[in-house]
């Protein structure tokens, strides 16, 4: 069983910063891509940023230049540094990881429980 545990959400004023972290634990061979998604009330879940095991990154246009994703492959963690936060960044943020359990099986997506980020104006 694989678990993803997020931390670091909270309440911040517009223009402030927060750092989210996610740690993967359990029995697995490796983790391919990791990422952050968010879901605001009444909206669909959307991609925020992803990072491959090799360090290639991808960002939603709405967060480019403000958010930075990073990972530590040795610790199986992924982080999201969020700067210049805006009220429209308010959402529940979810960590995602494509995890290789067995060599004969394709990677499987696992999700964290979500952490609330609220940005006040």
């Amino acid at each position: 069983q694989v678990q993803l545990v997020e931390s670091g959400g909270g309440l911040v004023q517009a223009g402030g910063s927060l750092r989210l972290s996610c740690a993967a634990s359990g029995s697995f061979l490796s983790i391919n891509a990791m990422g952050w998604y968010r879901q605001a009330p009444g909206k669909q879940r959307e991609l925020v940023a992803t990072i491959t095991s090799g360090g290639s990154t991808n960002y939603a246009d709405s967060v480019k230049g403000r958010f930075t994703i990073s990972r530590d492959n040795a610790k199986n963690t992924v982080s999201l540094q969020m700067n210049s936060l805006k009220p429209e960044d308010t959402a529940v943020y979810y960590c995602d990881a494509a995890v290789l359990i067995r060599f004969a099986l394709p990677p499987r997506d696992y999700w964290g429980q979500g952490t609330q980020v609220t940005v006040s104006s």
Side-chain angles (χ1 to χ4, degrees):
Q1 187 72 6
V2 177
Q3 288 187 325
L4 299 181
V5 179
E6 299 127 335
S7 60
L11 173 65
V12 65
Q13 289 188 333
S17 298
L18 282 174
R19 184 177 181 85
L20 306 182
S21 295
C22 173
S25 62
S27 178
F28 52 87
L29 295 175
S30 64
I31 301 176
N32 292 356
M34 302 185 81
W36 291 93
Y37 292 72
R38 66 187 182 187
Q39 187 167 17
K43 295 188 177 181
Q44 290 188 334
R45 189 174 298 188
E46 63 176 4
L47 179 146
V48 176
T50 61
I51 184 167
T52 67
S53 56
S56 296
T57 59
N58 180 52
Y59 295 93
D61 288 343
S62 59
V63 306
K64 282 181 181 177
R66 300 188 298 122
F67 291 9
T68 302
I69 190 170
S70 60
R71 67 187 283 175
D72 184 329
N73 290 332
K75 296 181 179 179
N76 296 316
T77 60
V78 62
S79 298
L80 185 69
Q81 178 66 42
M82 305 185 293
N83 299 327
S84 302
L85 282 161
K86 304 175 181 179
E88 51 263 44
D89 295 317
T90 295
V92 177
Y93 284 69
Y94 296 91
C95 171
D96 167 67
V99 182
L100 184 63
I101 304 297
R102 298 287 185 269
F103 283 120
L105 298 175
R108 174 182 168 182
D109 268 327
Y110 287 86
W111 293 87
Q113 79 285 357
T115 185
Q116 177 70 45
V117 171
T118 303
V119 184
S120 63
S121 58

